[in-house]
Amino acid sequence: MIKLIATDMDGTLLNAAHEISEENIKAIKAAQAQGITVVIATGRAFYEANAPVEPTGLKVPYICLNGAEVRDESFDIMHTSSLNHEMIEQITHVLDREDIYYQVYTNLGIYTEDPQRDLDIYIDIAEHAGQKADVEKIHRHIQHRIDQGTLKVVDNYDQISERPGEIVMKILAFDSDIGKIDRVSAELAKHTNLAISSSARGNIEITNAYAQKGIALEEIANQLGINMEDVMAIGDNMNDVSMLEKAGYPVAMENAMPEVKEYAKYVTDNNQNSGVGKAINKMLEEQSK
């Protein structure tokens, strides 16, 4: 019997407008009403993960930055896994050598050395998804993040290490050359102290080896006294695989990568059609029989 549900955000719980549909909200509340814990598991930092959840009134724990940070329903930090100086040097040596752009995620914000590169990346992602990129809208979104302070512009990432109390949680790298991305991913994966995954075409998400959604989800299940056979996990991309592998009821979105669907017991509808809500309702119906 399912007692714990973990759902990814982008491409899964969120639609193209980065909103949670009413069907998804109702399904999550229906599960919670039956005593099922629902966790959001995302590559996003907490301050960006909570933004689309807050208007819904949902109270959920968060697995953020692919497991580098875990928060309870009250937003209190329960666990962190950071990248130390040695790990950061391992990563940046390879990325700089290959001229791959990257952002640095810390416990206090997301850092970029070049907002124009961020704009180019969003345009490239949209175009390769067969969409016409709304450059002005993307530019406003980036500027809004800068104005809010969640995206911080620095001349050099070395400045981050000078800030007391700030720790690096994740490095997110981008390049339109998929061959280069694959080659660099394979090279970084040789470092056993790092976890290498991806949340979209052309990116690499790099965290501490212990910062994985599956590991964080298993820790939450252990704290709640729940067997992993009684856990449902829903996702669409490679950074979701670690939790789909561990969950007894792995679900992939219809829009998931083919490789991700191979790990699923069930493929639900896409994120535009409230696939998360449909999967939860299907599970609840099965359990009521």
Side-chain angles (χ1 to χ4, degrees):
M1 178 174 285
I2 300 303
K3 300 175 182 176
L4 174 63
I5 300 171
T7 175
D8 172 50
M9 290 195 80
D10 294 281
T12 304
L13 182 64
L14 304 181
N15 57 25
H18 297 278
E19 297 172 340
I20 305 175
S21 71
E22 192 60 34
E23 183 175 352
N24 284 347
I25 295 169
K26 287 181 178 178
I28 290 172
K29 288 182 176 179
Q32 291 175 327
Q34 294 193 23
I36 299 171
T37 300
V38 180
V39 179
I40 285 179
T42 178
R44 293 186 180 208
F46 171 74
Y47 30 84
E48 297 203 313
N50 187 51
V53 178
E54 189 173 16
T56 69
L58 291 170
K59 297 294 183 184
V60 295
Y62 287 86
I63 295 171
C64 298
L65 300 168
N66 292 339
E69 181 179 275
V70 179
R71 297 191 182 224
D72 64 17
E73 294 93 333
S74 300
F75 307 154
D76 292 328
I77 297 173
M78 308 300 292
H79 172 77
T80 59
S81 295
S82 60
L83 294 167
N84 62 28
H85 182 70
E86 179 188 355
M87 295 174 185
I88 294 168
E89 283 197 334
Q90 290 171 343
I91 297 162
T92 56
H93 171 74
V94 176
L95 297 179
D96 290 339
R97 185 195 70 210
E98 296 288 342
D99 191 30
I100 293 178
Y101 169 73
Y102 59 93
Q103 295 176 334
V104 177
Y105 285 61
T106 78
N107 57 323
L108 301 180
I110 303 169
Y111 291 84
T112 178
E113 291 179 338
D114 187 355
Q116 181 60 44
R117 292 289 296 272
D118 295 330
L119 178 65
D120 294 340
I121 288 160
Y122 282 119
I123 292 171
D124 181 73
I125 290 171
E127 290 178 347
H128 280 86
Q131 303 167 355
K132 180 174 174 56
D134 187 333
V135 178
E136 190 56 38
K137 182 177 180 181
I138 295 170
H139 179 75
R140 286 198 306 270
H141 174 66
I142 292 172
Q143 189 59 50
H144 177 67
R145 293 172 70 199
I146 293 172
D147 293 341
Q148 276 194 321
T150 56
L151 182 63
K152 305 173 188 291
V153 182
V154 290
D155 294 327
N156 190 293
Y157 289 135
D158 291 340
Q159 295 173 234
I160 299 171
S161 62
E162 299 169 4
R163 294 179 166 88
E166 194 154 12
I167 55 175
V168 175
M169 314 284 278
K170 183 176 84 166
I171 291 177
L172 180 61
F174 304 86
D175 203 287
S176 58
D177 186 337
I178 301 301
K180 183 195 287 190
I181 285 290
D182 290 344
R183 184 175 68 251
V184 169
S185 293
E187 181 175 349
L188 289 173
K190 293 177 182 177
H191 295 282
T192 56
N193 58 353
L194 301 177
I196 311 301
S197 61
S198 174
S199 60
R201 173 199 170 280
N203 81 21
I204 314 172
E205 298 197 335
I206 311 157
T207 57
N208 184 301
Y210 292 100
Q212 299 182 50
K213 290 184 181 183
I215 293 174
L217 180 60
E218 190 168 35
E219 288 180 354
I220 290 173
N222 288 338
Q223 289 172 5
L224 296 173
I226 296 173
N227 190 293
M228 288 304 293
E229 281 300 309
D230 298 323
V231 176
M232 178 182 189
I234 313 170
D236 74 308
N237 225 306
M238 297 307 294
N239 64 340
D240 299 314
V241 167
S242 64
M243 66 177 183
L244 295 180
E245 283 183 310
K246 290 179 177 290
Y249 197 126
V251 178
M253 303 297 291
E254 191 278 329
N255 53 284
M257 296 178 66
E259 301 94 319
V260 175
K261 291 180 180 178
E262 293 177 6
Y263 292 91
K265 181 178 291 185
Y266 166 64
V267 176
T268 186
D269 209 333
N270 61 51
N271 63 312
Q272 283 297 97
N273 293 325
S274 304
V276 168
K278 289 180 170 64
I280 292 175
N281 287 331
K282 178 179 182 294
M283 178 274 296
L284 293 175
E285 185 178 341
E286 289 173 354
Q287 292 198 160
S288 67
K289 292 179 180 178

